[in-house]
Amino acid sequence: MRLNVRSRQALFAAAIGATLVLSGCGKDNDDANSSTGGVTLGFVNGADTEFHTCLQKAIEQTAKQEGAKIYTANSHQDSSAELSNIEDMTSRNVSALIVQTVNVDALKGDIAKAKAAGVPLYLTSVATSDMDDVLGAAVVDLKKAGALDAEWVAKDAGGKKAEVGIIAGAPGAASDLLVGGFKDALPANATVVADQPAMFNPVKAQDVAENMIQAHPKLSYVFVANEEMAFAARKAFDAAGHKDVTIVTVNGTPEGVAAVKDGRFGATVANSAMTIGDTAVKNVLGLLDKKASVDKIANIPLVLVTKDNLNDAPQYCPK
């Protein structure tokens, strides 16, 4: 039966409207499935920071290299959007889901939704206390990352009393672990006098830093939960005439390493988004194939980057 013009347009619009962001093979569905055995991955990202952007880029590039198709979605720090994205992905019959969660408290619902749909779920950055219903995880020891910065502060302070500030990210996931690890590892001579979230937003981080230095003019060190916020905080402290405030942070981007080199940051903990994304895709495919050589939990290495070991920082983001 021939369709009239209006009917053809309606069918075309429906097909477009049902499509998520698709990237990867650059092939049509039949070609992709024939070359990968039908492996299609879904990636649900948690936010829009440089880390999340680089993580997605790494996942997309590795999926393409491995011959897998991938759909992506972003939850923009909204746990309800995350669950909706997971539901949407499972309706597309993906072979497995990779999730960079917005909030660890949301994972219970995420895992239940994926399990009910029969879709294996793989986590990036964090793991759950019970991994029975999870395919696996590429885990960053975020508490250790925070602790490494605290240990650097302890060494730099040399036993002298120091006031410390914390500019956290978004409550509920990575930031809580980073901050917890930092606080737990601080020496007794270092006192946390301010701890405020900035939601991984550089503009908000600058406001927090401005308020923090006004309230605590004797501030010596500030731990900032990522480098994007740390640059904004550095700008605020410098503008207020407090260039002596030392910032320690996390990421290990080329810009962050350069800031350690020229003294804008005291130290940063390299936590390569590229390594996490590459590991996630390769391990998902290996676990789906039940390869004995692939561990369920992969631990991503961390490097404390100081002026003494700038060249040890791993590549942070794919080119």
Side-chain angles (χ1 to χ4, degrees):
M1 179 179 70
R2 292 178 60 84
L3 296 174
N4 62 33
V5 172
R6 181 172 296 177
S7 296
R8 291 198 300 270
Q9 289 175 336
L11 285 171
F12 179 75
I16 293 298
T19 304
L20 268 174
V21 177
L22 175 64
S23 60
C25 309
K27 300 179 179 180
D28 62 30
N29 291 350
D30 292 339
D31 288 343
N33 290 341
S34 65
S35 64
T36 65
V39 176
T40 302
L41 304 178
F43 174 53
V44 177
N45 210 344
D48 306 284
T49 70
E50 184 174 7
F51 168 82
H52 293 87
T53 300
C54 290
L55 176 65
Q56 180 162 320
K57 189 174 182 180
I59 286 173
E60 289 173 336
Q61 287 193 6
T62 305
K64 182 176 181 179
Q65 292 164 6
E66 297 294 323
K69 183 189 295 185
I70 185 156
Y71 293 99
T72 67
N74 197 309
S75 305
H76 306 294
Q77 296 187 15
D78 183 341
S79 56
S80 61
E82 179 171 291
L83 190 61
S84 177
N85 283 331
I86 288 173
E87 185 174 9
D88 198 358
M89 290 287 187
T90 59
S91 71
R92 297 170 186 280
N93 298 316
V94 294
S95 306
L97 264 172
I98 301 172
V99 177
Q100 173 71 27
T101 190
V102 168
N103 188 320
V104 291
D105 293 334
L107 286 176
K108 185 176 180 180
D110 296 346
I111 293 167
K113 180 71 69 174
K115 183 180 179 182
V119 177
L121 188 147
Y122 188 95
L123 301 172
T124 54
S125 297
V126 299
T128 64
S129 56
D130 182 1
M131 293 288 289
D132 288 345
D133 293 327
V134 177
L135 179 64
V139 176
V140 178
D141 190 340
L142 294 169
K143 293 194 74 172
K144 180 181 177 181
L148 287 171
D149 273 332
E151 290 165 7
W152 185 91
V153 168
K155 183 178 179 180
D156 190 68
K160 295 179 181 179
K161 289 186 177 181
E163 291 189 0
V164 179
I166 295 172
I167 300 177
S175 177
D176 289 355
L177 295 169
L178 287 167
V179 171
F182 178 78
K183 285 181 174 179
D184 290 347
L186 278 176
N189 56 292
T191 303
V192 175
V193 296
D195 180 356
Q196 293 178 254
M199 304 305 294
F200 293 118
N201 184 323
V203 174
K204 187 169 180 61
Q206 185 169 338
D207 289 340
V208 169
E210 289 170 354
N211 294 333
M212 191 175 288
I213 199 63
Q214 288 176 8
H216 305 282
K218 294 183 180 180
L219 208 60
S220 298
Y221 300 93
V222 175
F223 172 74
V224 188
N226 76 3
E227 289 174 1
E228 288 176 274
M229 293 194 300
F231 280 114
R234 178 77 277 158
K235 182 178 178 180
F237 294 143
D238 291 353
H242 288 268
K243 292 186 177 182
D244 55 334
V245 175
T246 301
I247 290 175
V248 292
T249 185
V250 176
N251 278 150
T253 66
E255 296 80 10
V257 173
V260 172
K261 182 177 182 179
D262 64 26
R264 285 174 290 165
F265 298 162
T268 190
V269 177
N271 165 28
S272 170
M274 185 176 82
T275 301
I276 297 169
D278 181 70
T279 300
V281 172
K282 289 180 177 177
N283 283 17
V284 164
L285 296 177
L287 290 166
L288 289 175
D289 285 343
K290 302 187 183 305
K291 292 183 178 178
S293 59
V294 180
D295 293 329
K296 183 168 183 171
I297 297 179
N299 292 300
I300 305 300
L302 297 171
V303 179
L304 176 69
V305 181
T306 69
K307 284 186 177 181
D308 297 329
N309 67 336
L310 297 169
N311 292 331
D312 292 343
Q315 184 175 340
Y316 184 76
C317 195
K319 295 181 179 179

